[in-house]
Amino acid sequence: MYDGGCAAVTACDLCIYLAREKGVEVLYPYHADNLNKTDYLAFSAVMKQYLHPCWQGIDTLERYISGIAAYWHHAGMGALRADGLPGAVSWEKAAAQIKEQIDNKILVPFLLLYHKNSMFKDLQWHWFNLAGYKEFEDEFYVKAVTYGEFHWLNLRELWNTGYRRKGGIIRIFP
């Protein structure tokens, strides 16, 4: 990931997760229930062929979808579908989509481009997965997984970047 492959890493994790949770074993050519570093690195090298960053990285939802769809087709799962929910929609709509995906045991790839809140500086221009959520009265928190760690983040704050170009989320339809 430190080599500019955060989109590929989220795609690798997503495919492993779908292999484990949904039984779509062809998405991960190794043993999804027995992960190891050697296999993961080999898999990430394959995925980078489909989600290889250019000089600006994988900076659009469409580019990510095109790359992961190409890998799915290569793996024999061309029936899988994905679409993007851009950062221009309301955070409430994003929360509803995230909730639906996670309730269906599907990770949610998230692209954060710019953000005015310095709390999110380590997540700028970065892809990461959302793997959980918690709801409180008027608040919605997401479990963001990246750099081998997870963080609980307020989705309203994360989503409202203060910039016109925002990123967004990917929805998967198995």
Side-chain angles (χ1 to χ4, degrees):
M1 180 166 55
Y2 296 107
D3 190 20
C6 58
V9 169
T10 64
C12 287
D13 292 351
L14 174 64
C15 288
I16 292 168
Y17 194 81
L18 290 172
R20 291 175 84 165
E21 297 296 326
K22 297 290 189 181
V24 190
E25 295 166 358
V26 297
L27 292 182
Y28 184 62
Y30 305 97
H31 300 288
D33 291 324
N34 187 21
L35 298 176
N36 65 65
K37 184 176 181 177
T38 301
D39 291 348
Y40 189 90
L41 290 175
F43 183 49
S44 68
V46 171
M47 191 61 75
K48 272 189 121 176
Q49 295 173 34
Y50 298 92
L51 286 165
H52 185 75
C54 66
W55 68 277
Q56 282 191 303
I58 309 291
D59 62 344
T60 66
L61 303 178
E62 295 78 17
R63 191 170 217 196
Y64 186 97
I65 292 165
S66 175
I68 199 161
Y71 172 73
W72 290 341
H73 179 75
H74 164 83
M77 282 304 298
L80 279 175
R81 297 286 175 246
D83 72 6
L85 188 68
V89 303
S90 71
W91 75 269
E92 293 93 347
K93 185 170 182 176
Q97 293 299 321
I98 291 165
K99 185 176 178 180
E100 180 181 325
Q101 291 282 279
I102 292 172
D103 286 350
N104 286 318
K105 296 187 182 222
I106 301 171
L107 295 177
V108 180
F110 191 111
L111 172 62
L112 178 65
L113 295 173
Y114 302 107
H115 206 293
K116 290 194 175 184
N117 185 335
S118 63
M119 180 177 112
F120 300 112
K121 68 179 168 135
D122 291 338
L123 297 175
Q124 288 188 102
W125 215 261
H126 186 55
W127 283 95
F128 51 92
N129 279 316
L130 302 180
Y133 68 87
K134 291 183 181 179
E135 292 182 280
F136 306 98
E137 295 180 23
D138 291 334
E139 299 297 331
F140 190 88
Y141 283 79
V142 291
K143 185 178 188 179
V145 180
T146 188
Y147 301 119
E149 302 175 336
F150 71 87
H151 305 277
W152 286 102
L153 305 172
N154 181 301
L155 182 64
R156 183 187 331 219
E157 292 173 9
L158 178 64
W159 196 259
N160 295 321
T161 67
Y163 288 94
R164 183 184 56 80
R165 192 167 180 214
K166 300 176 185 239
I169 61 173
I170 302 295
R171 298 185 300 171
I172 311 300
F173 305 97

